[in-house]
Amino acid sequence: MLLTTLTTLATLAGCAQSVDPIERLGKKAAARVRPHGPAAQDAYRHWGLTVPLAPAPRHPARSLAGSPGAAFPPVVDHVPTTDKVVFLTYDDGAERDPRLVDMVRELRLPVSMFLTDSVVGPGYAHFARLRSVGANIQNHTLDHPALRGLPYAGQRAEICGQQDKLRARFGLRPRLFRPPYGTYDTTTRRAAADCGIAAIVLWRASMGPTDLTYTHGPHRLHPGDIIAVAPDESTGPALRERTTRLLRRVQEQGLTVARLEDYL
């Protein structure tokens, strides 16, 4: 009897630790690849940084998410927080730099990948490797259309269709969605809600081949900014090189990188 009671209590305690199995898996993956010893101390130099990335707060100063009773998910390009953090996001899935997997693993770099099925094509194995070292997988539609103005059925098919694809590939249904080109309307929000999306994620800053650009506001990073590492459609620097340049900008402005999924 005592053993049964203890087992039941342990099970209940474990269930109470997290209400989101996707986020729990992402944290566990990151923990599994935490570097130790001299290699950990030198990893930042290996990736072109002059100082290590500061650790993100263990407990976010504020969590922003759609209320369970809300009609539509919120649309965000930054997170209101006093934590000195920003968030790195990558779109589409056309660029599959194999060294980025090593970079994410060695730096324990929290990143979010918004994937489009028709762009990723046969490349899902690359993103499975990224996910295994702590990256998070999110929704960026099936075929990358501009959604604004499309009928509800078409928008729902794009969003829910990619939810189904990612569930089949990775066993998860993402909570976050980025509309292609950052365009959306009320129909987008309604379709996203019906597909189980908790937040529609835009960006305030974008990292191009050489430096940051901003959609609005001051031309410097602020705590809570969501950054899109823009896809490179030319022969510019590799994805890991653009990420290194971005990390230097983040450090220069007294910030570090946190998991977007911990705040949304």
Side-chain angles (χ1 to χ4, degrees):
M1 179 65 72
L2 178 59
L3 179 60
T4 301
T5 302
L6 290 174
T7 302
T8 302
L9 290 173
T11 301
L12 291 173
C15 293
Q17 289 177 358
S18 174
V19 296
D20 190 335
I22 296 173
E23 291 184 9
R24 187 166 65 247
L25 178 60
K27 292 177 182 177
K28 286 183 177 179
R32 284 199 303 270
V33 298
R34 175 178 290 187
H36 298 279
Q41 298 171 10
D42 295 337
Y44 70 93
R45 294 192 185 95
H46 176 72
W47 294 106
L49 303 179
T50 57
V51 295
L53 279 172
R58 296 180 66 88
H59 302 288
R62 178 176 176 184
S63 179
L64 180 73
S67 166
F72 297 136
V75 180
V76 298
D77 62 10
H78 71 283
V79 175
T81 182
T82 56
D83 292 342
K84 293 184 177 182
V85 299
V86 293
F87 310 101
L88 270 57
T89 66
Y90 298 75
D91 286 358
D92 303 345
E95 291 183 89
R96 296 187 279 275
D97 184 346
R99 294 296 306 282
L100 186 66
V101 179
D102 298 329
M103 186 180 200
V104 169
R105 182 184 66 249
E106 293 179 17
L107 293 179
R108 298 190 69 232
L109 188 63
V111 297
S112 300
M113 301 283 170
F114 288 83
L115 300 184
T116 296
D117 183 70
S118 63
V119 176
V120 176
Y124 274 106
H126 171 78
F127 295 98
R129 289 191 290 273
L130 271 168
R131 183 168 178 256
S132 74
V133 299
N136 289 280
I137 304 298
Q138 304 296 347
N139 188 329
H140 196 43
T141 70
L142 282 174
D143 297 307
H144 209 270
L147 295 177
R148 185 169 57 201
L150 294 181
Y152 171 81
Q155 296 204 39
R156 180 186 171 101
E158 283 289 336
I159 301 169
C160 287
Q162 183 64 340
Q163 292 286 84
D164 294 339
K165 288 278 188 179
L166 294 174
R167 182 176 184 178
R169 294 279 184 177
F170 301 110
L172 62 85
R173 288 180 69 83
R175 295 174 58 253
L176 307 182
F177 168 66
R178 172 167 287 165
Y181 314 106
T183 64
Y184 67 95
D185 54 19
T186 302
T187 302
T188 310
R189 298 181 69 189
R190 180 159 66 97
D194 292 344
C195 295
I197 295 298
I200 295 175
V201 179
L202 305 182
W203 60 93
R204 198 186 79 83
S206 178
M207 184 67 192
T210 59
D211 212 342
L212 286 161
T213 59
Y214 298 85
T215 60
H216 63 88
H219 284 201
R220 62 174 286 109
L221 293 173
H222 286 274
D225 278 346
I226 298 171
I227 305 170
V229 182
D232 182 25
E233 299 177 357
S234 65
T235 57
L239 195 57
R240 65 185 181 277
E241 295 174 15
R242 278 176 280 142
T243 300
T244 295
R245 291 178 184 178
L246 173 55
L247 292 177
R248 290 172 183 161
R249 300 292 184 273
V250 169
Q251 289 181 319
E252 287 166 2
Q253 297 182 42
L255 302 166
T256 192
V257 182
R259 292 177 75 247
L260 180 62
E261 290 75 7
D262 288 345
Y263 287 76
L264 290 179

